Amino acid sequence: MPSSKRAKVVHLSKNPSTSAQKKICKIQARKLYDSIREAVPRYAYAYVFAVDNMRNTYLKDVRSMLGDSRLFFGKTKVMAKSLGDSPATEAQPGTSLLTPHLTGQVGLIFSPRDPAAVLAHFDAFRPLDYARAGTVASRSFILPAGTLYSRGGEIDQDEDVPLAHSMEPTLRKLGVPTRLVKGKVILEHDFVVCNKGDALGSGQTTLLKTFGVTMAEFRVAIRAYWHSETGEVTVVKGGADETMDVEGSEE
């Protein structure tokens, strides 16, 4: 009599979908490694950058604005291995000095542009977006008592429009003391949405977005850069540059 298949055990280590996923990850990692290795000798500078308030939309804008450069934003371990972790394994002389800076939410930019141009570019590019839960409030925001307008008092009432009455139930669910009077949303008293320095919760971020208040600044900060001609790595810290030679000592 044939054995029942109902009690058949499937080991996760042999699960086809898991194996396929691992294979895909290895292929992607190898592609990233090879792409970085190919880029190193083609560009004069390599920059390690960190991102505050990451947004894919703005990262795409960065790629578009740096059309003459290559940007990589992948696994830090793979990027570090691509640059090399010692003089014996580095892609070019000095690139291994960049690897200690590949921690956190960081990426690599290979560019013909000099540091002054790149630093000035990112200093000017700081778009604002809606905050997400956990973001620290950059300022206080208080809804004024009376008729609520779409921007919550951020602009003059003459330039604004009353908040849609359909939003009133949502506001009440979020703890805002409102009521409907003749089709208008009325706030019974001033309501503090957040204070500067608060770690924002999901309810607060929803209210901020409702009234069009942006508090998350997308910012690209250059941590360090490598120059192909000298093999030196310069650390960018608080506006002061510290140059390291290929042996890793500060000048």
Side-chain angles (χ1 to χ4, degrees), residues 152-231:
E154 288 287 282
I155 60 177
D156 291 339
Q157 292 183 3
D158 294 339
E159 301 175 1
D160 205 349
V161 294
L163 189 69
H165 66 85
S166 59
M167 290 298 300
E168 198 274 335
T170 300
L171 293 178
R172 275 191 287 108
K173 288 181 180 179
L174 291 171
V176 184
T178 58
R179 55 193 175 90
L180 274 178
V181 178
K182 296 181 179 179
K184 291 186 177 181
V185 182
I186 306 298
L187 182 63
E188 296 178 357
H189 53 76
D190 288 357
F191 182 81
V192 178
V193 175
C194 66
N195 289 308
K196 183 177 180 180
D198 286 349
L200 299 172
S202 58
Q204 290 170 302
T205 57
T206 299
L207 286 172
L208 290 173
K209 187 173 183 179
T210 298
F211 293 99
V213 179
T214 55
M215 287 194 183
E217 182 184 71
F218 174 87
R219 189 168 71 92
V220 173
I222 300 298
R223 286 188 175 180
Y225 58 86
W226 166 81
H227 190 195
S228 61
E229 289 187 5
T230 63

Coordinates of all heavy atoms in Angstrom, one line a residue, residues 152-231:
G152 N -4.4 74.7 8.5 CA -4.3 74.8 9.9 C -3.7 76.1 10.5 O -3.0 76.0 11.5
G153 N -3.8 77.2 9.8 CA -3.3 78.4 10.3 C -1.9 78.7 9.8 O -1.3 79.7 10.2
E154 N -1.3 77.9 9.0 CA 0.0 78.1 8.4 C 0.1 79.3 7.5 O 1.1 79.9 7.3 CB 0.5 76.8 7.7 CG 0.8 75.7 8.6 CD 2.1 75.9 9.4 OE1 3.2 75.7 8.9 OE2 2.0 76.3 10.6
I155 N -1.0 79.6 6.8 CA -1.1 80.8 5.9 C -2.3 81.6 6.3 O -3.2 81.2 7.0 CB -1.1 80.3 4.4 CG1 -2.4 79.5 4.2 CG2 0.1 79.5 4.0 CD1 -2.6 79.0 2.7
D156 N -2.4 82.8 5.7 CA -3.5 83.7 6.0 C -4.8 83.1 5.5 O -4.8 82.4 4.5 CB -3.3 85.0 5.3 CG -2.2 85.8 5.9 OD1 -1.9 85.6 7.1 OD2 -1.7 86.7 5.2
Q157 N -5.9 83.3 6.3 CA -7.2 82.7 5.9 C -7.7 83.2 4.5 O -8.4 82.5 3.8 CB -8.2 83.1 7.0 CG -8.0 82.4 8.3 CD -9.0 82.7 9.3 OE1 -10.0 83.4 9.1 NE2 -8.8 82.2 10.6
D158 N -7.3 84.4 4.2 CA -7.7 85.0 2.8 C -7.1 84.1 1.7 O -7.6 84.1 0.6 CB -7.2 86.4 2.7 CG -7.9 87.3 3.7 OD1 -9.0 87.0 4.2 OD2 -7.4 88.4 4.0
E159 N -6.0 83.4 2.0 CA -5.3 82.6 0.9 C -5.6 81.1 1.1 O -5.2 80.3 0.3 CB -3.8 82.8 1.0 CG -3.4 84.3 0.8 CD -1.9 84.5 1.0 OE1 -1.2 83.5 1.3 OE2 -1.4 85.6 0.9
D160 N -6.4 80.8 2.1 CA -6.7 79.4 2.4 C -8.2 79.1 2.2 O -9.0 80.0 1.9 CB -6.4 79.1 3.9 CG -6.1 77.7 4.1 OD1 -6.3 76.8 3.2 OD2 -5.5 77.3 5.2
V161 N -8.6 77.9 2.4 CA -10.0 77.5 2.3 C -10.4 76.7 3.5 O -9.5 76.0 4.1 CB -10.3 76.6 1.0 CG1 -10.1 77.5 -0.2 CG2 -9.4 75.4 1.0
P162 N -11.6 76.7 3.9 CA -12.0 75.9 5.1 C -11.8 74.4 4.9 O -11.9 73.9 3.7 CB -13.5 76.2 5.2 CG -13.7 77.6 4.6 CD -12.7 77.6 3.4
L163 N -11.5 73.7 5.9 CA -11.2 72.3 5.8 C -12.5 71.6 5.4 O -13.6 71.9 5.9 CB -10.8 71.8 7.2 CG -10.3 70.3 7.2 CD1 -9.0 70.2 6.5 CD2 -10.1 69.9 8.7
A164 N -12.4 70.6 4.6 CA -13.6 69.8 4.1 C -14.3 69.2 5.3 O -13.7 68.6 6.2 CB -13.2 68.8 3.1
H165 N -15.7 69.3 5.3 CA -16.4 68.8 6.5 C -16.3 67.3 6.6 O -16.4 66.7 7.7 CB -17.9 69.1 6.3 CG -18.6 68.5 5.1 ND1 -19.1 67.2 5.2 CD2 -18.8 68.9 3.8 CE1 -19.6 66.9 4.0 NE2 -19.4 67.9 3.2
S166 N -15.9 66.6 5.5 CA -15.8 65.1 5.6 C -14.6 64.7 6.4 O -14.5 63.5 6.8 CB -15.6 64.6 4.2 OG -14.5 65.1 3.5
M167 N -13.7 65.7 6.7 CA -12.5 65.3 7.6 C -12.8 65.4 9.0 O -12.0 64.9 9.8 CB -11.4 66.3 7.2 CG -10.8 66.2 5.9 SD -10.0 64.6 5.6 CE -8.8 64.6 6.9
E168 N -13.9 65.9 9.4 CA -14.2 66.0 10.9 C -14.2 64.7 11.7 O -13.6 64.7 12.7 CB -15.6 66.8 11.0 CG -15.8 67.4 12.4 CD -16.4 66.4 13.4 OE1 -17.0 65.5 13.0 OE2 -16.1 66.6 14.6
P169 N -14.9 63.7 11.2 CA -14.8 62.4 11.9 C -13.4 61.9 12.1 O -13.0 61.3 13.2 CB -15.7 61.4 11.1 CG -16.6 62.3 10.3 CD -15.7 63.5 10.0
T170 N -12.6 62.0 11.1 CA -11.2 61.6 11.2 C -10.4 62.4 12.2 O -9.6 61.8 13.0 CB -10.5 61.8 9.8 OG1 -11.2 61.0 8.8 CG2 -9.0 61.3 9.9
L171 N -10.6 63.7 12.3 CA -10.0 64.5 13.3 C -10.4 64.1 14.7 O -9.5 64.0 15.6 CB -10.3 66.0 13.1 CG -9.7 66.6 11.8 CD1 -10.1 68.0 11.7 CD2 -8.2 66.5 11.7
R172 N -11.6 63.8 14.9 CA -12.1 63.4 16.2 C -11.5 62.1 16.6 O -11.1 61.9 17.8 CB -13.6 63.3 16.2 CG -14.3 64.6 16.5 CD -15.8 64.5 16.8 NE -16.6 64.2 15.6 CZ -17.1 63.0 15.4 NH1 -17.0 62.0 16.2 NH2 -17.8 62.9 14.3
K173 N -11.3 61.1 15.7 CA -10.7 59.9 16.0 C -9.2 60.0 16.4 O -8.7 59.2 17.2 CB -10.8 58.9 14.8 CG -12.2 58.4 14.5 CD -12.2 57.5 13.3 CE -13.6 56.9 13.0 NZ -13.6 56.1 11.8
L174 N -8.6 61.1 15.9 CA -7.2 61.4 16.2 C -7.1 62.2 17.5 O -6.0 62.7 17.8 CB -6.6 62.1 15.1 CG -6.4 61.2 13.8 CD1 -5.9 62.1 12.6 CD2 -5.4 60.1 14.1
G175 N -8.2 62.5 18.2 CA -8.2 63.2 19.4 C -8.3 64.7 19.4 O -8.2 65.4 20.4
V176 N -8.7 65.2 18.2 CA -8.8 66.7 18.0 C -10.3 67.0 18.4 O -11.2 66.5 17.9 CB -8.5 67.1 16.6 CG1 -8.6 68.6 16.5 CG2 -7.2 66.6 16.1
P177 N -10.5 68.0 19.4 CA -11.8 68.3 19.8 C -12.6 69.2 18.8 O -12.6 70.4 19.0 CB -11.5 69.1 21.1 CG -10.2 69.7 20.9 CD -9.4 68.7 20.1
T178 N -13.1 68.6 17.8 CA -13.9 69.3 16.8 C -15.3 69.0 16.8 O -15.8 68.0 17.3 CB -13.3 69.0 15.4 OG1 -13.4 67.5 15.2 CG2 -11.8 69.4 15.3
R179 N -16.1 69.8 16.1 CA -17.5 69.6 15.8 C -17.9 70.3 14.6 O -17.3 71.2 14.1 CB -18.4 70.1 17.0 CG -18.2 71.5 17.4 CD -18.8 71.8 18.7 NE -18.5 73.2 19.1 CZ -19.3 74.3 18.8 NH1 -20.4 74.1 18.1 NH2 -19.0 75.5 19.2
L180 N -19.0 69.8 14.0 CA -19.5 70.4 12.7 C -20.6 71.5 13.1 O -21.5 71.2 13.8 CB -20.1 69.3 11.8 CG -19.2 68.6 10.9 CD1 -19.9 67.5 10.1 CD2 -18.5 69.6 9.9
V181 N -20.4 72.6 12.5 CA -21.4 73.7 12.7 C -21.7 74.3 11.3 O -20.8 74.9 10.7 CB -20.9 74.8 13.6 CG1 -21.9 75.9 13.7 CG2 -20.6 74.2 15.0
K182 N -22.9 74.0 10.8 CA -23.3 74.6 9.5 C -22.3 74.2 8.4 O -21.9 75.0 7.6 CB -23.5 76.1 9.5 CG -24.6 76.5 10.5 CD -24.8 78.0 10.5 CE -25.9 78.4 11.4 NZ -26.1 79.9 11.4
G183 N -21.9 72.9 8.5 CA -21.0 72.4 7.4 C -19.5 72.8 7.6 O -18.7 72.5 6.7
K184 N -19.2 73.5 8.7 CA -17.8 73.9 8.9 C -17.2 73.1 10.1 O -17.9 72.9 11.0 CB -17.7 75.4 9.1 CG -18.0 76.2 7.8 CD -17.7 77.7 8.1 CE -17.9 78.5 6.8 NZ -17.6 80.0 7.0
V185 N -15.9 72.8 10.0 CA -15.3 72.1 11.1 C -14.8 73.1 12.1 O -14.0 74.0 11.8 CB -14.1 71.3 10.6 CG1 -13.4 70.5 11.7 CG2 -14.5 70.3 9.5
I186 N -15.3 73.1 13.3 CA -14.9 74.0 14.3 C -14.1 73.3 15.4 O -14.4 72.3 15.9 CB -16.2 74.6 15.0 CG1 -17.1 75.2 13.9 CG2 -15.8 75.7 16.0 CD1 -16.5 76.4 13.1
L187 N -13.0 74.0 15.8 CA -12.1 73.5 16.8 C -12.5 74.3 18.1 O -12.5 75.5 18.1 CB -10.6 73.7 16.5 CG -9.6 73.2 17.4 CD1 -9.6 71.7 17.6 CD2 -8.2 73.7 17.0
E188 N -12.8 73.5 19.2 CA -13.3 74.2 20.4 C -12.2 75.0 21.1 O -12.5 76.0 21.7 CB -13.8 73.1 21.3 CG -15.0 72.3 20.7 CD -15.5 71.2 21.7 OE1 -14.9 71.0 22.7 OE2 -16.5 70.6 21.3
H189 N -10.9 74.6 21.0 CA -9.9 75.3 21.6 C -8.6 75.0 20.9 O -8.5 74.0 20.2 CB -9.7 75.0 23.2 CG -9.6 73.6 23.5 ND1 -8.4 72.9 23.3 CD2 -10.5 72.7 23.9 CE1 -8.6 71.6 23.6 NE2 -9.9 71.4 24.0
D190 N -7.5 75.8 21.2 CA -6.2 75.5 20.5 C -5.8 74.1 20.8 O -6.0 73.6 22.0 CB -5.2 76.5 21.1 CG -5.4 77.9 20.6 OD1 -6.3 78.1 19.8 OD2 -4.6 78.8 21.0
F191 N -5.3 73.5 19.8 CA -4.8 72.1 20.0 C -3.4 71.9 19.6 O -3.0 72.2 18.4 CB -5.7 71.1 19.1 CG -5.4 69.7 19.3 CD1 -5.9 68.9 20.4 CD2 -4.6 69.0 18.3 CE1 -5.6 67.6 20.5 CE2 -4.3 67.7 18.5 CZ -4.8 67.0 19.5
V192 N -2.6 71.4 20.5 CA -1.1 71.2 20.2 C -1.0 69.9 19.5 O -1.2 68.8 20.1 CB -0.3 71.2 21.5 CG1 1.2 71.0 21.2 CG2 -0.5 72.6 22.2
V193 N -0.6 69.9 18.2 CA -0.3 68.7 17.5 C 1.0 68.1 17.9 O 1.2 66.9 18.1 CB -0.4 69.0 16.0 CG1 0.1 67.7 15.2 CG2 -1.7 69.4 15.5
C194 N 2.0 69.0 18.0 CA 3.3 68.5 18.5 C 4.2 69.7 18.9 O 3.9 70.9 18.6 CB 4.1 67.8 17.3 SG 4.5 68.9 15.9
N195 N 5.1 69.4 19.8 CA 6.1 70.4 20.2 C 7.4 70.1 19.6 O 7.8 68.9 19.3 CB 6.2 70.4 21.7 CG 5.0 71.0 22.4 OD1 4.5 72.1 22.1 ND2 4.4 70.2 23.3
K196 N 8.2 71.1 19.4 CA 9.6 70.9 18.9 C 10.4 69.9 19.8 O 10.4 70.0 21.0 CB 10.3 72.3 18.8 CG 11.7 72.2 18.2 CD 12.4 73.5 18.1 CE 13.7 73.4 17.5 NZ 14.4 74.8 17.4
G197 N 11.0 69.0 19.1 CA 11.7 68.0 19.8 C 11.0 66.7 20.1 O 11.6 65.7 20.6
D198 N 9.7 66.7 19.9 CA 8.9 65.5 20.1 C 9.2 64.4 19.2 O 9.5 64.7 18.0 CB 7.4 65.8 20.0 CG 6.8 66.6 21.1 OD1 7.5 66.7 22.2 OD2 5.6 67.0 21.0
A199 N 9.2 63.1 19.6 CA 9.3 62.0 18.7 C 7.9 61.7 18.2 O 7.1 61.4 19.0 CB 9.9 60.8 19.4
L200 N 7.7 62.0 17.0 CA 6.3 61.9 16.5 C 5.7 60.5 16.4 O 6.4 59.6 16.0 CB 6.3 62.6 15.1 CG 6.7 64.0 15.0 CD1 6.8 64.5 13.5 CD2 5.7 64.9 15.7
G201 N 4.4 60.5 16.8 CA 3.7 59.2 16.7 C 2.9 59.2 15.4 O 2.8 60.2 14.7
S202 N 2.3 58.1 15.1 CA 1.6 57.9 13.8 C 0.4 58.9 13.7 O 0.1 59.4 12.7 CB 1.1 56.5 13.7 OG 0.2 56.1 14.8
G203 N -0.3 59.1 14.9 CA -1.4 60.1 14.9 C -1.0 61.5 14.6 O -1.6 62.2 13.8
Q204 N 0.2 61.9 15.1 CA 0.7 63.2 14.9 C 1.1 63.4 13.5 O 0.9 64.4 12.8 CB 1.9 63.5 15.8 CG 1.5 63.6 17.3 CD 2.7 63.6 18.2 OE1 3.5 62.7 18.2 NE2 2.9 64.7 19.0
T205 N 1.8 62.4 12.9 CA 2.2 62.5 11.5 C 1.0 62.6 10.5 O 1.1 63.3 9.5 CB 3.1 61.3 11.1 OG1 2.4 60.1 11.3 CG2 4.4 61.3 11.9
T206 N 0.0 61.9 10.9 CA -1.3 61.9 10.1 C -1.8 63.3 10.1 O -2.2 63.9 9.1 CB -2.3 60.9 10.6 OG1 -1.8 59.6 10.5 CG2 -3.6 61.0 9.7
L207 N -1.9 64.0 11.3 CA -2.4 65.3 11.4 C -1.5 66.3 10.6 O -2.0 67.2 10.0 CB -2.5 65.7 12.9 CG -3.7 65.1 13.7 CD1 -3.5 65.4 15.1 CD2 -5.0 65.6 13.1
L208 N -0.2 66.1 10.8 CA 0.7 67.0 10.1 C 0.5 67.0 8.6 O 0.5 68.0 7.8 CB 2.1 66.7 10.4 CG 2.6 67.0 11.9 CD1 4.0 66.5 12.1 CD2 2.5 68.5 12.1
K209 N 0.3 65.7 8.1 CA 0.1 65.6 6.6 C -1.2 66.1 6.2 O -1.4 66.7 5.1 CB 0.2 64.1 6.3 CG 0.1 63.8 4.8 CD 0.4 62.3 4.5 CE 0.4 62.1 3.0 NZ 0.7 60.7 2.6
T210 N -2.3 66.0 7.1 CA -3.6 66.5 6.8 C -3.5 68.0 6.5 O -4.2 68.5 5.6 CB -4.6 66.2 7.9 OG1 -4.7 64.8 8.1 CG2 -5.9 66.8 7.7
F211 N -2.7 68.7 7.3 CA -2.6 70.1 7.2 C -1.4 70.6 6.3 O -1.1 71.8 6.4 CB -2.6 70.8 8.6 CG -3.9 70.6 9.3 CD1 -4.1 69.6 10.3 CD2 -5.0 71.4 9.0 CE1 -5.3 69.4 10.9 CE2 -6.2 71.2 9.7 CZ -6.4 70.2 10.6
G212 N -0.8 69.7 5.6 CA 0.3 70.0 4.7 C 1.5 70.5 5.3 O 2.3 71.4 4.8
V213 N 1.8 70.1 6.6 CA 3.0 70.5 7.3 C 4.1 69.5 7.1 O 4.0 68.3 7.5 CB 2.7 70.7 8.8 CG1 4.0 71.1 9.5 CG2 1.6 71.7 9.0
T214 N 5.2 69.9 6.5 CA 6.4 69.1 6.2 C 7.5 69.3 7.3 O 7.8 70.5 7.5 CB 6.9 69.3 4.8 OG1 7.2 70.7 4.7 CG2 5.9 68.9 3.8
M215 N 8.0 68.2 7.8 CA 9.1 68.4 8.8 C 10.3 67.5 8.6 O 11.2 67.6 9.3 CB 8.5 68.1 10.2 CG 7.6 69.2 10.8 SD 7.3 68.9 12.5 CE 6.2 70.3 12.9
A216 N 10.2 66.6 7.6 CA 11.3 65.7 7.3 C 12.1 66.3 6.2 O 11.7 66.4 5.0 CB 10.8 64.3 6.9
E217 N 13.4 66.6 6.5 CA 14.3 67.1 5.5 C 15.2 66.0 4.9 O 16.0 65.4 5.6 CB 15.2 68.2 6.1 CG 16.1 68.9 5.1 CD 17.0 69.9 5.7 OE1 18.0 69.5 6.5 OE2 16.8 71.1 5.5
F218 N 15.0 65.7 3.6 CA 15.8 64.8 2.9 C 17.2 65.4 2.7 O 17.3 66.5 2.2 CB 15.3 64.4 1.6 CG 16.1 63.5 0.7 CD1 16.1 62.1 0.9 CD2 17.0 64.1 -0.2 CE1 16.9 61.3 0.1 CE2 17.8 63.3 -1.0 CZ 17.8 61.9 -0.8
R219 N 18.2 64.8 3.2 CA 19.6 65.4 3.2 C 20.6 64.3 2.9 O 20.6 63.3 3.5 CB 19.9 66.1 4.5 CG 21.2 66.9 4.4 CD 21.3 67.8 5.6 NE 21.6 67.0 6.8 CZ 22.8 66.8 7.3 NH1 23.8 67.2 6.6 NH2 23.0 66.1 8.4
V220 N 21.5 64.7 1.9 CA 22.6 63.8 1.6 C 23.9 64.5 2.2 O 24.2 65.6 1.9 CB 22.8 63.6 0.1 CG1 24.1 62.9 -0.3 CG2 21.6 62.9 -0.5
A221 N 24.5 63.7 3.0 CA 25.8 64.3 3.7 C 27.0 63.4 3.2 O 27.0 62.2 3.4 CB 25.6 64.2 5.2
I222 N 28.0 64.1 2.7 CA 29.2 63.4 2.3 C 30.0 63.1 3.5 O 30.4 64.0 4.3 CB 30.0 64.3 1.3 CG1 29.2 64.5 0.0 CG2 31.3 63.5 0.9 CD1 28.8 63.3 -0.7
R223 N 30.3 61.9 3.8 CA 31.2 61.5 4.9 C 32.7 61.5 4.6 O 33.5 62.0 5.4 CB 30.8 60.1 5.4 CG 29.5 60.0 6.1 CD 29.3 58.6 6.6 NE 28.1 58.4 7.5 CZ 27.8 57.3 8.0 NH1 28.5 56.2 7.9 NH2 26.6 57.2 8.8
A224 N 33.0 61.0 3.4 CA 34.4 61.0 3.0 C 34.5 60.8 1.5 O 33.6 60.4 0.9 CB 35.1 59.9 3.8
Y225 N 35.7 61.2 1.0 CA 35.9 61.0 -0.5 C 37.3 60.5 -0.8 O 38.2 60.9 0.0 CB 35.5 62.2 -1.3 CG 36.2 63.5 -0.9 CD1 37.4 63.8 -1.5 CD2 35.6 64.4 0.0 CE1 38.1 65.0 -1.2 CE2 36.3 65.5 0.3 CZ 37.5 65.8 -0.3 OH 38.2 67.0 0.0
W226 N 37.4 59.8 -1.8 CA 38.7 59.3 -2.3 C 39.1 59.9 -3.6 O 38.2 60.1 -4.5 CB 38.6 57.8 -2.4 CG 39.8 57.1 -3.2 CD1 41.0 56.8 -2.7 CD2 39.7 56.7 -4.6 NE1 41.7 56.1 -3.7 CE2 41.0 56.1 -4.8 CE3 38.8 56.8 -5.6 CZ2 41.3 55.6 -6.1 CZ3 39.1 56.2 -6.8 CH2 40.3 55.7 -7.1
H227 N 40.4 60.3 -3.8 CA 40.9 60.9 -5.0 C 41.8 60.0 -5.7 O 42.8 59.5 -5.1 CB 41.6 62.3 -4.7 CG 41.9 63.0 -5.9 ND1 42.8 64.1 -5.9 CD2 41.4 62.9 -7.2 CE1 42.8 64.6 -7.2 NE2 42.0 63.9 -8.0
S228 N 41.5 59.6 -6.9 CA 42.3 58.6 -7.7 C 43.7 59.0 -7.9 O 44.6 58.2 -7.9 CB 41.6 58.3 -9.0 OG 41.5 59.4 -9.8
E229 N 44.0 60.3 -8.1 CA 45.3 60.7 -8.4 C 46.3 60.6 -7.3 O 47.5 60.3 -7.5 CB 45.3 62.2 -8.9 CG 44.7 62.4 -10.3 CD 44.8 63.8 -10.8 OE1 45.5 64.6 -10.1 OE2 44.3 64.1 -11.8
T230 N 45.8 60.8 -6.1 CA 46.7 60.8 -4.9 C 46.5 59.5 -4.1 O 47.4 59.2 -3.3 CB 46.4 62.0 -4.0 OG1 45.1 61.9 -3.5 CG2 46.6 63.3 -4.8
G231 N 45.4 58.8 -4.2 CA 45.1 57.7 -3.4 C 44.7 58.1 -2.0 O 44.6 57.2 -1.1

